[in-house]
Amino acid sequence: MRRYVIAGNWKMNMTPKGAEALIGEMKPLVEGKNNCDVVLCVPAIDIPAAVEAAKGSNIKIGAENVHFKASGAYTGEISAEMLVEAGVEYVVIGHSERRQYFGETDQTVNLRTLAALNAGLKAIVCVGETLEQRELGYTETLLKYQTKMALTNVTPEQMNNVIIAYEPVWAIGTGVTATADQADEGNGYVRAAVAEMFGADIANKTVVQYGGSMNDKNAAELLSKENVDGGLIGGASLKPAAFAAIVDAAQ
Ligand code: 13P
């Protein structure tokens, strides 16, 4: 019932020229892999080059952040309307790196999510616990809280455009992947929170990704789990062959 979504998050990597070259390499490797949505979320400056390079392919382009106001005196920020006009279809919101380094809170994650959805973008909302929170036994509480805060005031109809990425902070960029059972359990907590807010039908339709050191070796096992509907992939999304292998695992 749920369609896999395999999304790359390039973070602060690749210049526009590099983006063009990387997508050029990636295109033939993922062509015809239509059993999942293939998305690359790229730095804002790379968006025009990425949209152009992805034309005529099954690769969709996403941004890595969006501001919650429509316009105004917000130096350095980018609005949802700007992203839409540039050809962006997806946007990552509330990544743990933004929470950790840029003062992102559950409130601003919620506001950004609403702005993205109101503009017709698909929101990839990130949630995840730190190692300390996990060791204290707060994983379920934290994941449910972050999920519910992010989705406050989202309408049931808008849930069609919401993807939630469970990214345990301790697994991001560390090479330490959650076990498939840990990923399934975390994603399950997220889905349970969606069910508590919107009911079981919507929860069963909501795409919940896993992210955190997903790669060509571990993707098949992670994606085989009931609650894992795709991946949000950092490092491996910068390597065409590895990313294409993850897309293959979702076929
Ligand atoms: P890595 O795949 O590099 O661990 O990054 C995961 C991530 O943060 C994707 O958003």
Side-chain angles (χ1 to χ4, degrees):
M1 178 162 70
R2 295 185 295 270
R3 191 174 156 79
Y4 284 121
V5 179
I6 303 297
N9 171 14
W10 285 1
K11 310 192 179 185
M12 196 173 73
N13 294 293
M14 308 308 288
T15 64
K17 278 195 186 125
E20 189 186 337
L22 185 56
I23 292 173
E25 263 185 77
M26 206 141 346
K27 262 184 353 186
L29 302 180
V30 299
E31 197 185 326
K33 307 285 166 65
N34 292 326
N35 201 38
C36 67
D37 290 339
V38 180
V39 184
L40 293 175
C41 299
V42 307
I45 194 85
D46 294 349
I47 287 169
V51 167
E52 187 58 34
K55 267 195 185 138
S57 78
N58 54 332
I59 298 173
K60 311 239 195 290
I61 301 303
E64 298 179 11
N65 192 20
V66 60
H67 194 58
F68 36 87
K69 296 283 189 175
S71 64
Y74 302 99
T75 302
E77 291 294 322
I78 295 178
S79 75
E81 185 190 9
M82 293 171 192
L83 294 178
V84 170
E85 193 173 310
V88 164
E89 294 176 64
Y90 292 76
V91 58
V92 175
I93 296 172
H95 193 280
S96 63
E97 288 148 17
R98 295 218 56 90
R99 295 180 192 255
Q100 184 178 353
Y101 304 127
F102 301 101
E104 193 80 73
T105 65
D106 289 311
Q107 281 78 16
T108 54
V109 169
N110 175 236
L111 293 174
R112 290 182 208 279
T113 301
L114 293 171
L117 294 173
N118 289 335
L121 290 165
K122 291 185 168 54
I124 302 178
V125 179
C126 302
V127 298
E129 83 288 0
T130 62
L131 189 57
E132 187 185 17
Q133 288 161 340
R134 170 167 283 267
E135 285 172 348
L136 287 168
Y138 294 150
T139 302
E140 177 176 2
T141 308
L142 199 276
L143 292 180
K144 286 186 162 179
Y145 178 79
Q146 286 186 342
T147 301
K148 289 181 179 184
M149 289 292 283
L151 300 180
T152 299
N153 294 325
V154 170
T155 67
E157 295 70 40
Q158 286 177 324
M159 283 304 292
N160 287 319
N161 282 334
V162 170
I163 294 166
I164 302 164
Y166 166 49
E167 297 207 315
V169 176
W170 46 271
I172 294 176
T174 56
V176 180
T177 317
T179 65
D181 285 335
Q182 285 171 326
D184 194 44
E185 181 181 63
N187 284 27
Y189 295 146
V190 169
R191 197 177 308 288
V194 174
E196 286 165 22
M197 281 181 94
F198 295 97
D201 273 6
I202 287 178
N204 286 331
K205 285 188 204 142
T206 301
V207 171
V208 185
Q209 298 173 318
Y210 167 78
S213 301
M214 190 188 267
N215 59 38
D216 46 336
K217 310 275 183 308
N218 58 31
E221 193 189 351
L222 289 162
L223 293 171
S224 74
K225 290 293 173 180
E226 170 68 24
N227 279 309
V228 180
D229 309 321
L232 186 58
I233 298 123
S237 71
L238 296 164
K239 300 177 193 150
F243 187 72
I246 298 172
V247 169
D248 278 341
Q251 294 309 299

